[in-house]
Amino acid sequence: MNNIKVAIHKFKKRYGVKLADVWERPFEKVQIADGLTLKLSTDLLASDFLVNVPVLKTHAQVKVSLGIKNLKGFLNVGSRKKCHSADHKKDLEYMISHLANFLPPSATIIDGVYTLERGPSFDGKPRRSDLVIASSNLIAADMVGASVLGHDPVDIPYLVKAAADHEISMDIDEIDIVGEKIEDVKAFHKYTFSYNKENTLPLSMEKMGIKGLAFHKFDSSLCTYCSALIGKLLTIIAMSYKGKPFDDVEFLTGKRMRPCMDAKKSILVGQCMCALNKNHEGSGEIVKIKGCPPDPGQAASALKGIGIDIDPSFFTNFEMEGAFFMKRFENKPEFDESYYTIT
Ligand code: SF4
């Protein structure tokens, strides 16, 4: 993260670029549908041209995260959480499909020098792909991006809805593509970790032989602020597992899940889970990890309660986490550090 800040400031110094931190700038309420509002950056709404530069990557909840999804970065925190609604009809796909409606004239430049499988976060699998997709049409850029990642645009509901709203055909053959042909550069990128048949445990953890534990597969109502913790919880559980079965424990996340009646212990992650299930009447024990984002100390004590001792600072120490994930890039010439340095 510090490297990104250093790089941005180098650009500022070299080219006199004016920097604006969206968090320090105003937001204003916009109506995206009947009775439904979001708070969008005033700078976006007032700008006369936007250069939108997403990374070519997959997304565990909506399959691909490209030009349209990148616009979510213009929302304030409350609206970002609101996008991950528990409502099955007005869900994440529905919410982000509207973001294209507030776009000024724009250029979308999808950076596929490095692409990401099982995105959107750093626990995904990056690849060097050496591609750039550019268009003055946001939806066409996303259709091509999705196709290059091996996902048919018609299988991406928010893209289908945005295209319908803008009366754009979903027929990829109608897009005039210059440069490389999609077929020549297409490479399938998985968008999520595989889970077992019941969606109760990542397949890799089931294969480790973990028993007595259900870590139900996240749904689209889970926001970034909880998902960061969930990735860490899964990593810690997998790393600490020594073969002893858990005693019918389950983890619940997002805004929709309900405790199973036969679980002996249900661990509720985040304030939404705690609020939704506050009147649960089952006989199993309920353990709460309160807060938004969820409290690291409570996460550590929930783990302790199932036999895993971890220092709460693991959840907040980004350097430790960075070092853990950076190991994967050692001795891989395509990820040489010099490619990430601006001189
Ligand atoms: S508790 Fe989790 S799911 Fe609820 S709003 Fe916060 S981050 Fe989102």
Side-chain angles (χ1 to χ4, degrees):
M1 189 61 85
N2 278 339
N3 279 351
I4 296 172
K5 280 188 185 157
V6 169
I8 288 173
H9 282 280
K10 275 191 182 162
F11 276 122
K12 179 184 176 184
K13 210 167 150 196
R14 193 176 302 168
Y15 301 110
V17 176
K18 198 170 144 196
L19 299 180
D21 181 344
V22 75
W23 300 118
E24 292 169 3
R25 304 285 303 155
F27 294 91
E28 58 193 84
K29 202 185 266 189
V30 293
Q31 179 152 343
I32 64 161
D34 269 355
L36 201 52
T37 58
L38 290 176
K39 283 195 171 174
L40 257 178
S41 161
T42 302
D43 291 337
L44 172 73
L45 298 169
S47 65
D48 49 17
F49 197 87
L50 177 78
V51 181
N52 185 13
V53 192
V55 167
L56 186 57
K57 63 185 180 302
T58 54
H59 189 281
Q61 291 168 312
V62 291
K63 294 195 181 91
V64 295
S65 173
L66 304 168
I68 297 175
K69 177 73 171 51
N70 207 37
L71 300 174
K72 194 161 165 265
F74 282 112
L75 296 174
N76 76 349
V77 173
S79 292
R80 290 178 190 211
K81 292 177 187 171
K82 194 172 175 182
C83 282
H84 293 267
S85 159
D87 184 329
H88 285 277
K89 283 200 180 122
K90 293 179 180 161
D91 63 0
L92 179 62
E93 305 257 9
Y94 177 86
M95 301 295 266
I96 59 176
S97 71
H98 290 87
L99 297 177
N101 301 347
F102 298 94
L103 197 67
S106 66
T108 301
I109 302 171
I110 304 179
D111 175 0
V113 176
Y114 291 96
T115 52
L116 186 63
E117 190 165 26
R118 299 190 306 252
S121 194
F122 45 75
D123 54 352
K125 187 177 172 198
R127 296 184 194 177
R128 177 114 195 194
S129 299
D130 287 327
L131 291 168
V132 174
I133 298 162
S135 176
S136 58
N137 185 315
L138 169 75
I139 293 165
D142 277 14
M143 284 171 63
V144 172
S147 304
V148 167
L149 292 170
H151 296 279
D152 191 334
V154 300
D155 294 334
I156 299 167
Y158 75 84
L159 198 46
V160 172
K161 176 157 181 12
D165 288 351
H166 291 259
E167 297 180 350
I168 291 175
S169 162
M170 287 300 287
D171 183 353
I172 195 100
D173 293 334
E174 288 187 24
I175 300 174
D176 185 16
I177 298 172
V178 295
E180 308 283 350
K181 291 195 180 77
I182 291 178
E183 286 313 312
D184 294 343
V185 295
K186 184 173 171 172
F188 181 70
H189 285 54
K190 278 188 190 170
Y191 68 91
T192 186
F193 288 90
S194 303
Y195 268 68
N196 62 6
K197 267 206 305 283
E198 301 76 24
N199 274 339
T200 51
L201 212 56
L203 202 54
S204 57
M205 290 172 75
E206 185 170 88
K207 283 183 180 160
M208 287 170 66
I210 294 180
K211 299 256 186 291
L213 175 75
F215 206 120
H216 302 286
K217 186 171 183 188
F218 55 86
D219 57 46
S220 69
S221 70
L222 178 79
C223 343
T224 313
Y225 310 94
C226 265
S227 64
L229 178 87
I230 283 158
K232 287 179 187 173
L233 287 170
L234 285 165
T235 306
I236 293 165
I237 293 169
M239 280 167 50
S240 322
Y241 182 66
K242 300 277 184 291
K244 189 173 166 216
F246 292 93
D247 193 15
D248 286 336
V249 178
E250 64 172 357
F251 281 80
L252 306 175
T253 62
K255 303 182 181 79
R256 296 180 186 134
M257 295 184 190
R258 298 286 190 181
C260 295
M261 283 304 176
D262 50 1
K264 288 195 187 151
K265 185 182 280 198
S266 301
I267 300 176
L268 311 180
V269 184
Q271 74 179 33
C272 296
M273 267 298 93
C274 297
L276 181 72
N277 294 300
K278 65 177 190 288
N279 298 323
H280 174 70
E281 287 177 348
S283 57
E285 183 189 356
I286 295 287
V287 175
K288 294 177 180 167
I289 305 177
K290 292 183 187 166
C292 174
D295 181 80
Q298 293 182 26
S301 77
L303 285 177
K304 196 166 186 181
I306 58 169
I308 298 172
D309 234 333
I310 185 92
D311 186 328
S313 68
F314 182 87
F315 294 110
T316 48
N317 187 334
F318 295 109
E319 273 178 29
M320 204 195 290
E321 191 182 7
F324 177 76
F325 284 107
M326 290 305 279
K327 278 206 174 83
R328 298 178 297 169
F329 303 113
E330 271 173 10
N331 304 320
K332 294 203 173 156
E334 70 271 32
F335 295 105
D336 192 285
E337 210 169 331
S338 63
Y339 298 141
Y340 304 88
T341 309
I342 294 177
T343 49

